[in-house]
């Protein structure tokens, strides 16, 4: 029986990132950038107001807000005009308002000494103006403004190239493109960007008992759950998924379906073909496409799995159990890391924490357990607590409803058969619902 770690090493060695493609930035979110995006034009491209207020020369309002001297006769006002001037009171500078500039204005506005121009955030700065007095420090006058607080040169202005300058790298190769990166690319006029695309994954279900969900199952038949569940798990992992659906067990037809997916996929997942005649039929049908090995992995559920590299491009191909819970857990533990590596993620595994059990947990000796659980946090201590879902691994390990209620997998080491209340255990987060 192969350990989970050894099997993961074998599987992840087959991960290959798809060739980079250039896409619109609206399609790049969540993907890894495959180039250094070098800025060709500054941002901002012109000096602009960083706040609503009045564009001024800083020297004209430098004394605003200072206390008026006791001897006003000898007061050197530097040419500034003051209003409400009283000894010992804060100085208020009065300036005529000679214009109003909004964002998008194309005609330059010229400012003369001891004048103000009302500006909105993002508006081009008038000529000679070197500061903006915030609206809250004024009386908001339209013809004449009273300013009660001075500003320094450069205050509340976004200068040309303050954010990025020509030659700067906006987004580096290897960075994951998120909302901020998309916004920055748009801001510097980059309409398309080279990215590592999502790996393409095809999902095929095999089983004479299967019918699609748009049909009524007959005696002995069940709905095809796996192709839908595994396709959803693949999308959650970041793959571009093609749900093929149910494939016939006829050898020639089965080979034809799988071979067609090998041409268009970086990962192929086949469910329902790891035991008995189904396994023999699949391996026989695909034997000339490459080596497929069905092995026992020291984990539960999902201990019997198949893996190989098929086709001219040696596409990683998985055979997963027919049971939906076993298939989903096997996908989570074994297949998902390969997809995350192909996406270029530095941390392909789920985040884990240590949690204290709030009830006993029973596992299978000699196998690493991945048990469904509910993770919570103690409000007072901040400690993680976890409760197993299901009474025992032998009695309820295949209940899909319990997996749907789980928000974590409780990871029990192979040498541990039982955990008591209050014991510590490793817990892996599952995808968040919301």
């Amino acid at each position: 029986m192969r350990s989970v770690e050894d099997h993961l090493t074998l599987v992840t060695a087959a991960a290959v990132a798809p060739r980079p493609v250039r896409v619109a930035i609206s399609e790049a979110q969540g993907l890894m950038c495959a180039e250094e995006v070098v800025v060709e034009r500054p941002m901002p491209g012109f000096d602009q107001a960083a706040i609503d207020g009045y564009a001024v020369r800083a020297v004209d309002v430098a004394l605003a807000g200072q206390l008026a001297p006791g001897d006003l006769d000898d007061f050197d006002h530097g040419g500034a005009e003051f209003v409400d001037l009283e000894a010992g009171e804060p100085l208020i500078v009065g300036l005529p308002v000679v214009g109003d500039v909004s964002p998008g204005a194309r005609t330059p506005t010229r400012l003369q000494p001891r004048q103000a121009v009302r500006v909105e955030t993002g508006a081009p700065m008038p000529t000679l103006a070197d500061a903006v007095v915030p609206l809250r420090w004024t009386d908001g006058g339209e013809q004449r403004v009273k300013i009660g607080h001075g500003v320094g040169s450069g205050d509340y202005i976004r200068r040309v190239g303050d954010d990025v300058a020509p030659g700067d790298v906006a987004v580096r190769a290897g960075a994951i493109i998120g909302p901020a990166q998309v916004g920055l690319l748009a801001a510097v006029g980059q309409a398309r960007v080279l990215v590592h695309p999502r790996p393409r994954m095809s999902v095929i279900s095999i089983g004479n008992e299967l019918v699609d969900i748009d049909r009524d199952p007959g005696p002995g038949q069940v709905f095809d759950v796996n192709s839908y569940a595994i396709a959803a798990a693949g999308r959650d992992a970041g793959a571009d998924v093609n749900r093929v659906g149910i494939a016939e067990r006829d050898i020639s037809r089965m080979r034809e379906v799988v071979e067609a997916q090998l041409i268009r996929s970086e990962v192929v997942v086949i469910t329902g073909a790891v035991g008995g005649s189904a396994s023999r039929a699949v391996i026989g049908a695909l034997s000339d496409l490459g080596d497929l090995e069905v092995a026992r992995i020291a984990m539960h559920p999902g201990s019997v799995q198949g893996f190989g590299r098929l086709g001219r491009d040696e596409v990683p191909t998985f055979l997963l159990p027919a049971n939906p819970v076993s298939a989903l857990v096997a996908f989570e533990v074994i297949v998902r890391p390969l997809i995350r590596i192909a996406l270029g993620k530095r941390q392909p595994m789920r985040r884990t924490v240590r949690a204290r059990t709030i009830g006993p947990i029973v596992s299978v000796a000699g196998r690493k357990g991945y048990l469904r659980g509910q993770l919570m946090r103690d409000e007072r201590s901040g400690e993680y607590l976890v409760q197993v879902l299901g009474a025992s691994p032998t009695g309820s390990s295949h209940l899909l409803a319990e997996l749907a209620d789980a928000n974590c997998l409780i990871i029990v080491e192979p040498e541990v058969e039982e955990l008591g209340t209050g014991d510590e255990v490793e817990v892996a987060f599952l995808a968040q619902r919301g």
Side-chain angles (χ1 to χ4, degrees):
M1 189 176 291
R2 184 182 299 155
S3 72
V4 172
E5 291 73 19
D6 286 347
H7 193 57
L8 268 174
T9 299
L10 175 70
V11 166
T12 54
V16 177
R19 291 180 179 178
V21 296
R22 195 167 295 279
V23 301
I25 60 172
S26 58
E27 303 299 322
Q29 186 171 352
L31 301 179
M32 177 187 283
C33 188
E35 65 177 338
E36 301 278 295
V37 181
V38 179
V39 177
E40 296 181 358
R41 63 186 72 180
M43 185 181 76
F46 54 90
D47 291 349
Q48 58 183 243
I51 195 170
D52 290 353
Y54 293 85
V56 297
R57 296 194 318 157
V59 67
D60 291 337
V61 297
L63 296 176
Q66 297 184 22
L67 295 181
D71 186 358
L72 293 173
D73 292 335
D74 295 330
F75 176 43
D76 181 9
H77 54 76
E81 181 180 351
F82 295 95
V83 294
D84 302 330
L85 182 59
E86 297 287 344
E89 295 293 323
L91 296 172
I92 298 175
V93 174
L95 296 176
V97 179
V98 297
D100 194 328
V101 184
S102 300
R106 298 186 179 183
T107 303
T109 301
R110 185 172 180 83
L111 180 75
Q112 299 295 336
R114 291 183 291 279
Q115 290 181 345
V117 171
R118 185 155 181 165
V119 291
E120 296 178 24
T121 304
M125 286 295 292
T127 305
L128 295 186
D130 65 347
V132 175
V133 178
L135 192 61
R136 66 180 181 274
W137 292 348
T138 74
D139 67 345
E142 296 183 1
Q143 302 300 320
R144 191 171 190 81
V145 62
K146 295 179 181 179
I147 297 171
H149 197 295
V151 289
S153 181
D155 286 357
Y156 302 102
I157 295 178
R158 299 190 190 113
R159 295 292 190 187
V160 172
D162 268 357
D163 204 335
V164 290
D168 288 351
V169 177
V171 180
R172 298 194 176 277
I176 302 301
I177 298 176
Q181 287 74 26
V182 171
L184 182 55
L185 290 169
V188 299
Q190 187 87 11
R192 302 177 71 80
V193 62
L194 193 69
V195 297
H196 295 289
R198 302 182 190 281
R200 297 166 298 174
M201 184 182 95
S202 294
V203 184
I204 303 167
S205 287
I206 293 176
N208 293 335
E209 76 281 10
L210 301 178
V211 295
D212 211 339
I213 58 175
D214 59 354
R215 294 177 51 193
D216 291 328
Q221 293 184 318
V222 296
F223 289 124
D224 168 28
V225 174
N226 279 341
S227 71
Y228 290 94
I230 298 300
R235 293 187 196 98
D236 176 71
D240 180 6
V241 178
N242 173 41
R243 189 190 69 83
V244 179
I246 304 167
E248 300 176 16
R249 279 195 183 180
D250 175 79
I251 290 179
S252 60
R253 176 60 183 150
M254 186 189 305
R255 185 189 186 284
E256 184 180 310
V257 170
V258 173
E259 191 171 21
Q261 301 312 311
L262 293 174
I263 297 171
R264 57 169 296 170
S265 306
E266 279 78 43
V267 183
V268 173
V269 179
I270 304 169
T271 69
V274 293
S277 60
S279 175
R280 292 191 294 271
V282 170
I283 292 175
L286 307 180
S287 59
D288 61 339
L289 297 176
D291 292 331
L292 266 178
E293 176 197 21
V294 174
R296 296 188 71 85
I297 313 302
M299 62 178 287
H300 76 93
S303 61
V304 183
Q305 302 175 33
F307 175 71
R309 302 187 189 188
L310 302 185
R312 182 188 61 188
D313 297 324
E314 297 188 336
V315 176
T317 303
F318 297 86
L319 305 181
L320 299 185
N323 179 270
V325 170
S326 297
L328 279 169
V329 172
F331 183 95
E332 175 72 25
V333 176
I334 303 298
V335 186
R336 190 178 192 276
L338 176 136
I339 293 172
R340 304 296 284 175
I341 291 172
L343 275 168
K345 302 294 185 181
R346 295 181 180 87
Q347 298 293 336
M349 313 303 289
R350 294 278 196 189
R351 178 191 168 204
T352 63
V353 295
R354 300 291 295 181
R356 197 169 299 281
T357 64
I358 59 175
I361 296 175
V362 178
S363 189
V364 176
R367 298 187 192 179
K368 199 167 188 175
Y370 294 89
L371 312 179
R372 295 147 304 208
Q374 273 286 346
L375 185 66
M376 58 207 83
R377 203 159 194 175
D378 188 288
E379 292 183 357
R380 289 174 296 179
S381 67
E383 183 180 35
Y384 282 106
L385 305 173
V386 68
Q387 179 179 17
V388 70
L389 300 178
S392 72
T394 56
S396 62
S397 64
H398 297 134
L399 297 183
L400 188 58
E402 287 179 355
L403 184 58
D405 283 338
N407 63 4
C408 69
L409 288 178
I410 303 169
I411 303 172
V412 184
E413 294 301 323
E415 63 274 13
V416 178
E417 193 170 353
E418 187 172 350
L419 290 165
T421 301
D423 288 346
E424 271 201 352
V425 68
E426 187 178 15
V427 174
F429 288 84
L430 289 177
Q432 294 297 308
R433 301 187 298 271

